[in-house]
Amino acid sequence: MVFVALPLIAAFGLSLFHWDLLGTPEFAGLDNFQQLVSDTATIRAVVNTFVFALASVVTHIGIGMLLALGVHRTMTRGTKYFVRTAFFFPFLVSWAAVALLWKYVLDPTFGLVAHYLSTTTNWLASPTWALPTLIVVDWWHTIGYTFIILLAGLQTVPAQLHEAARVDGANGWWRFWSVTLPVMSPTIFFATVITFIGAFQIFDPMVIMTQGGPDGATRSIVQYTYEKGFQSFEVGYAATLSLVLFVVIMLVTGLQFRLSRRWVHQ
Amino acid sequence: MDHPLLSRRRFLQATGGTAVAAALAGCGGGGSGGGGASSKELSFVYMGTAEQQATWNKLFAKFTESHPEIKLKAEGIPLSNWGDFFNKLSTRIAGGQVPDVIQIATEGQRLFASKGLLEPLDSYIKKDQATIDEYYADMDPNLIEWDKKYASTDGKTYYLPGEFNTMCMWYSKDLFARAGVPEPTAKWTWDDFRHACEQIKAKTGAFGYAADSAYFAAIMPWLLTNGTSSFTEDWSKPTYDDPRVVEAAEFNRKLVADKLSPPPGGTFDAFTAAAQGKLAMFGGGRWPIISIRNLKATQKMGIVPWPTKVEQGSPVGWNGYPILKASKKKDDAWTFIKFLISKEGSSTFAQLGGTIVPARKSIANSESFLADAPKGTEYLYQALSYATPIPSPDKGAAIQKAIEDGWKQVLTGNAAPGDALGKAQTTLEGLV
């Protein structure tokens, strides 16, 4: 309660004030909420975050599933351990280190990408490419996590079911579709919700690699909240933004649970 | 499957709860910090990277030597710009952790003074008038005047002007010689500069200049030498869409477009590149000295005033060391400040290779400052005669971000200079 309810109440309280962190807070009524609606930068940050989150969820589950299937089916025990560790390893490295590392890899003057693709694209400084680039870097960092969850899910599929399906004459694709997926659906659901929440709170790579730029093209909600609270000293407005984040995550997660009744096998 | 992996309720508790806590942690302000300064030690907070830490530590050792009765607890916060430093500091103070003395550069002086956080120094100055008179007599009068004009809003004195930084152009003597280009003189122009970049690129393949979007170090010098600035003289109105600002931005964009400058947004390290002969020039105050010394390249480098178009110009920012109103050790704090501005403290710092120019003329012209430094180091002090305090209205960090974002858009070629700077101007108008 202390760690969830109190900050939530505090944030709601703060959102009703103008406060510059050093002076005394002034009561503002619904000013901050009005500002929210008219602030184009907020809308941009929300859109960016949604794009990032949707792309993350779709690609993480898709690619993570392919990797998990590949590792589960084709590998021997020894290689399986190795590959599993290799895929999961980047997730153990902190985002700050990953972001700095990729900043070097993507450097337009001497980076590996520029060297091997012989391109002069300035990935992180281009309004078109900056967000997609961050999405790809996020794969590198986070996909191992989705992969491990899905692999664990795959391992729970009982072999007898597959056997039975095989005896009934189902081919590989059909067995995947009617046996593996339904059994795994709670795992996939879990991975979807976790990935979405994680993606919605993305902050570190933006701050370190692009500072939200170029021209706000990669600014996420959390980053914007930080900028407002601790750079512009509009603490009340920042609290309002964090409430928006809270509401959005609650709504989307709620929606996911509701929709899950249609496809999650329980 | 009969049992779901997790019940819905458990799942929400496990994930939703953490998510909310994490999301809101960002705006809690650190209310549980409490604490405040320890009553035993004098706490001092300054901005310093790990590389600079050693230098500061030697200075503190010297202080402890002469004042063993005062226990100094100094803490360097390693950040790359003043905006971030002040953000961090404000958050801390809001959370109840108030140090006794802080290092505050021009960018934050007015902000901190106007918030009523600082103790006026006037009575302390009166008590030690002779010391302060001696100090002021050894200083460029401009510094004293600017400190009065910009660092306070109510006529009280909160800061003594301390060490400062102005901007000059650092250049690689080696590369100029290899390309057969004569070394720049104090009276050179933008055209001379551009010509040198072209010649060096053509003959040696090295980059001419590291164009960048740092407010103090890479934007302001170009504006001031073009006879303009980012704000009006009293910092009340931004002038970032002035045609001369646009012209300066275009000039820089052209350097990038013509590959005389590395593309921005990467990880290009100008100091190392210059020391290795891959870059001919970068802008800097005193601070590159530590890297350049570590790279053993002080003899290979030279310093000249910034090239001019309309007039000579340089931004200037200086340190102030205020005493916090909440401090319980104000007398000790004053003793520490007096040490910092003393001849002894100042020359120790200069000798160790501090990242700033001493405010005392006698030290800035002495061997302790000029030895093992590039030729032309004295230009940094001379720049005080024509410098302009870096415009720093209250919302410093946000303002700096808007200015740098606009410039970066131009440098990368993402937007036309007029559009990008016009947009930044609108943002700035909303911030003052």
Side-chain angles (χ1 to χ4, degrees):
Chain A
M1 278 311 274
V2 174
F3 294 111
V4 181
L6 281 187
L8 187 60
I9 294 166
F12 187 73
L14 272 178
S15 71
L16 301 174
F17 286 87
H18 289 309
W19 185 36
D20 65 2
L21 211 61
L22 295 176
T24 29
E26 278 169 43
F27 187 71
L30 294 178
D31 267 15
N32 288 320
F33 291 90
Q34 263 168 1
Q35 190 185 341
L36 192 73
V37 186
S38 58
D39 184 355
T40 50
T42 309
I43 296 162
R44 184 102 194 259
V46 171
V47 171
N48 288 338
T49 313
F50 261 103
V51 170
F52 183 84
L54 286 177
S56 287
V57 170
V58 173
T59 54
H60 278 222
I61 303 294
I63 302 175
M65 193 71 189
L66 286 178
L67 291 177
L69 282 171
V71 171
H72 184 61
R73 289 230 179 126
T74 54
M75 302 227 166
T76 62
R77 209 177 159 76
T79 41
K80 205 184 264 184
Y81 272 118
F82 174 76
V83 175
R84 208 159 51 180
T85 314
F87 283 149
F88 191 68
F89 192 75
F91 187 69
L92 300 176
V93 184
S94 86
W95 250 128
V98 171
L100 285 175
L101 175 79
W102 276 88
K103 224 181 151 185
Y104 276 96
V105 172
L106 293 164
D107 188 279
T109 321
F110 54 77
L112 290 175
V113 174
H115 184 73
Y116 286 109
L117 296 184
S118 0
T119 153
T120 51
T121 311
N122 195 344
W123 301 98
L124 296 172
S126 147
T128 328
W129 286 108
L131 192 56
T133 305
L134 288 182
I135 291 171
V136 172
V137 173
D138 177 59
W139 292 349
W140 189 84
H141 177 255
T142 322
I143 227 157
Y145 180 64
T146 323
F147 157 79
I148 285 287
I149 294 177
L150 293 174
L151 186 64
L154 269 180
Q155 285 164 352
T156 63
V157 180
Q160 313 89 286
L161 285 183
H162 271 290
E163 275 312 311
R166 207 194 306 266
V167 170
D168 287 345
N171 63 16
W173 169 248
W174 190 247
R175 284 202 306 276
F176 173 70
W177 189 250
S178 55
V179 177
T180 312
L181 268 189
V183 176
M184 273 191 73
S185 58
T187 314
I188 296 176
F189 175 62
F190 172 77
T192 313
V193 175
I194 283 283
T195 311
F196 180 82
I197 294 176
F200 230 84
Q201 296 176 335
I202 197 80
F203 174 71
D204 323 39
M206 278 83 175
V207 167
I208 297 169
M209 295 172 75
T210 60
Q211 292 89 45
D215 195 27
T218 58
R219 188 188 276 127
S220 69
I221 299 185
V222 181
Q223 191 195 351
Y224 191 53
T225 307
Y226 166 78
E227 274 178 25
K228 280 291 167 191
F230 299 104
Q231 292 194 329
S232 304
F233 298 114
E234 295 173 38
V235 179
Y237 189 55
T240 316
L241 283 168
S242 74
L243 284 179
V244 170
L245 183 70
F246 170 69
V247 169
V248 168
I249 291 183
M250 286 308 269
L251 279 181
V252 175
T253 309
L255 186 72
Q256 281 175 316
F257 271 98
R258 179 146 283 256
L259 290 177
S260 73
R261 290 184 196 161
R262 292 167 186 250
W263 64 275
V264 174
H265 190 81
Q266 302 196 338
Chain B
M1 209 169 169
D2 294 320
H3 304 287
L5 288 177
L6 286 164
S7 77
R8 289 203 170 116
R9 184 180 295 253
R10 290 285 320 230
F11 181 78
L12 264 186
Q13 277 169 351
T15 58
T18 347
V20 174
L24 296 177
C27 55
S32 57
S38 147
S39 57
K40 279 193 207 132
E41 293 163 324
L42 179 71
S43 64
F44 170 55
V45 175
Y46 63 97
M47 182 163 94
T49 62
E51 206 179 25
Q52 294 156 7
Q53 202 89 22
T55 307
W56 281 97
N57 286 343
K58 284 181 200 155
L59 183 73
F60 301 142
K62 189 106 188 169
F63 173 72
T64 314
E65 205 177 280
S66 49
H67 296 277
E69 77 283 4
I70 299 175
K71 242 183 144 179
L72 179 68
K73 188 182 145 235
E75 185 192 354
I77 301 181
L79 288 167
S80 58
N81 74 64
W82 285 107
D84 289 342
F85 178 78
F86 298 133
N87 293 337
K88 176 127 188 175
L89 214 53
S90 311
T91 315
R92 246 190 214 207
I93 293 174
Q97 292 186 356
V98 188
D100 298 304
V101 182
I102 329 178
Q103 180 193 28
I104 300 189
T106 309
E107 285 89 333
Q109 284 164 5
R110 198 163 79 175
L111 171 73
F112 277 80
S114 67
K115 294 293 173 198
L117 291 165
L118 309 178
E119 177 74 13
L121 298 180
D122 302 273
S123 58
Y124 293 93
I125 293 175
K126 203 167 262 170
K127 229 170 31 193
D128 280 310
Q129 195 68 50
T131 313
I132 302 302
D133 286 347
E134 186 271 332
Y135 181 53
Y136 279 179
D138 195 9
M139 189 189 298
D140 190 302
N142 273 345
L143 260 185
I144 305 167
E145 195 198 313
W146 293 328
D147 193 64
K148 268 199 197 117
K149 187 168 169 189
Y150 293 106
S152 165
T153 46
D154 57 5
K156 290 181 188 152
T157 313
Y158 296 99
Y159 309 88
L160 299 176
E163 317 80 38
F164 64 90
N165 257 309
T166 49
M167 284 298 296
C168 282
M169 192 66 84
W170 291 56
Y171 64 96
S172 155
K173 292 197 285 189
D174 283 6
L175 272 176
F176 272 76
R178 263 206 283 154
V181 182
E183 286 183 25
T185 66
K187 293 250 165 347
W188 65 329
T189 64
W190 282 18
D191 288 339
D192 300 334
F193 166 83
R194 163 95 199 179
H195 187 67
C197 289
E198 283 167 355
Q199 296 262 305
I200 289 166
K201 177 82 191 182
K203 297 209 175 116
T204 69
F207 286 118
Y209 166 73
D212 185 38
S213 52
Y215 180 37
F216 186 88
I219 299 178
M220 280 308 286
W222 292 110
L223 304 193
L224 294 167
T225 51
N226 204 22
T228 183
S229 180
S230 52
F231 281 84
T232 51
E233 210 207 331
D234 60 356
W235 301 353
S236 66
K237 257 187 63 123
T239 55
Y240 206 42
D241 56 355
D242 182 281
R244 282 165 299 178
V245 177
V246 177
E247 187 187 17
E250 262 164 1
F251 182 80
N252 275 266
R253 165 59 195 159
K254 218 164 166 303
L255 293 170
V256 175
D258 297 342
K259 303 207 173 3
L260 300 174
S261 181
T267 46
F268 189 83
D269 177 0
F271 304 162
T272 310
Q276 292 172 342
K278 291 176 189 156
L279 171 74
M281 288 176 277
F282 60 81
R286 170 69 167 173
W287 66 86
I289 191 73
I290 292 187
S291 302
I292 294 295
R293 277 183 187 166
N294 289 344
L295 292 160
K296 309 230 176 310
T298 36
Q299 295 312 309
K300 285 194 238 168
M301 304 297 297
I303 298 179
V304 276
W306 208 266
T308 60
K309 172 129 185 146
V310 173
E311 61 191 16
Q312 276 215 306
S314 162
V316 57
W318 58 93
N319 278 329
Y321 299 99
I323 302 175
L324 276 289
K325 209 176 246 172
S327 163
K328 293 192 182 76
K329 314 207 82 185
K330 293 198 179 79
D331 288 327
D332 287 351
W334 178 244
T335 309
F336 177 61
I337 292 172
K338 276 195 298 181
F339 167 78
L340 287 176
I341 63 164
S342 70
K343 264 198 166 135
E344 191 199 9
S346 178
S347 98
T348 308
F349 200 40
Q351 213 158 24
L352 292 168
T355 55
I356 13 203
V357 187
R360 286 176 174 273
K361 223 181 286 179
S362 59
I363 308 288
N365 291 320
S366 71
E367 193 56 18
S368 61
F369 183 65
L370 297 176
D372 194 20
K375 179 185 116 182
T377 294
E378 57 278 8
Y379 285 126
L380 290 169
Y381 199 97
Q382 287 168 20
L384 276 183
S385 63
Y386 57 82
T388 307
I390 177 93
S392 316
D394 284 358
K395 287 185 182 172
I399 279 170
Q400 183 170 337
K401 191 169 189 334
I403 287 177
E404 295 183 347
D405 278 354
W407 196 267
K408 211 181 281 173
Q409 286 291 91
V410 179
L411 279 193
T412 50
N414 289 336
D419 296 346
L421 300 181
K423 216 168 136 190
Q425 167 79 6
T426 315
T427 312
L428 291 172
E429 280 165 5
L431 286 169
V432 289

